[in-house]
Amino acid sequence: MKITSSVVLALLCCGVSSYATDELIVLKAARMFDGKSNSLVQNAVVVVKDDKIVDAGSNLQIPAGARVIDLGDATLCPGFMDAHTHLTEDFSGNYNERRLQELDLNVSEHAIRATEFARVTVEAGFTTVRDLGSHFVGSREFVDVALRNSINRRVIVGPRMLVATKGIGATGGHFDPTNGFRDFLFGREPDYTDGIANGPDEIRKAVRFEVKNGADVIKAAVSGGVLSLTDEVDTPQLTPAEMTALVDESHRLRKKVAVHCHGDQVAREAIEAGVDSIEHGSFMKPDTLAMMKKKGTFLTPTLMASEWIMGKIDNYPPALQAKAKAATAARSDMFRNAVKMGVRISFGTDAAVFPHGQNAKEFKLMVDLGMSPVDALKSATASDAELLGIAQKLGTLEKGKLADIIAVPGDPTTDITATERVLFVMKEGRVIRQGPSAAEKAEKTSSPDVSASAD
Ligand SMILES: [Zn+2]
């Protein structure tokens, strides 16, 4: 009985989206961040029909017969976007345990866990993510593609996903899934089907293979990384000729290119090759940032990743600790310089390095390092929409855009941490969350259930 009633409660309250119909829904709140203005709109009203915004502004007349959702002392915002997630993975615990688990669990079990990561992400207000790499050693499954498609078909609840599949990298590089394991443990050396490619022609083949299997965006590791065992964090891993091939082939197939890159030298080469965004960018010097500004290359800073790792440094092997410390020591100055110089900044967190659903903590880190709250909000809305190539339909609260609308309490321009307390989420006109999230509700109801079963 108890189980039945809590299931019914979950269904009624938030477990299932309310379905868009012909009815008009009017969202009201004390204020609104529209994604493009430098100040907030007061007495905000947004009118939604089906999956689209039909009007948005201050003190608009409420159409007769509309269903009004009055959110009170809150700020309406475009659904947040995160340009750097890994929704199919979780690297947030002890490194060695996680590595063993990757070998132990069936890939289908990883996929089932990912459905929960998707749900907590959208409930945290992130209605769109660019998911930059999903691979499980020894498996050829495309779990990110399956997750994206299941969300699009409304089989499960989650953010709209643009996925990169395996990611592309060099033998022994940050993306080599056998990096750190004994040679031949998995029976063969990884190849383009695992995203591992060497030389311009193989890089083109890997891009084509990933697009064939459902990639929306191409991700490559052009320098070493923190959470890989046998490479140095800032060394180049692709040559200029390989990066030129990567960008050319991807752009010919109308896919954008995001590159994992910590090192300064290879960042310059990647920017020169025409990549669309540099992910992390920890060691980039002011001259390199100046090149980015000139070329219009986006920086996705992922401050949350280093913040989390440094807070749990004992969870990582000594070799990774040293890399994390070096990258974190460099990234704050790099980010401050990028803000000062006016480099285009795309909001992205590297969610999976820290637990999914905490994406909004990135906002405070950005503001603490010199970005204005409004610019931080723009990075997660209009700027990300531009980088992702979806600005025509998302990123601002304007007539004709898809109705991805969230609300945060109070005024996020005076307290940016309000973004961590999202209280309402609508995606394409469907209410996904109003009030506490499913997880918060489960937490509240779990204690009595535990004591009952103990009896
Ligand atoms: Zn990442």
Side-chain angles (χ1 to χ4, degrees), residues 84-86 132 219 260 280 350 353:
H84 192 135
T85 66
H86 302 276
L132 291 184
K219 165 84 177 295
H260 160 104
H280 320 302
D350 220 352
V353 173

Side-chain angles (χ1 to χ4, degrees), residues 36 118-119 170 194 347 395 415 431 436 438:
K36 53 187 180 157
R119 191 174 61 75
D194 307 283
F347 184 103
D415 175 9
V431 178

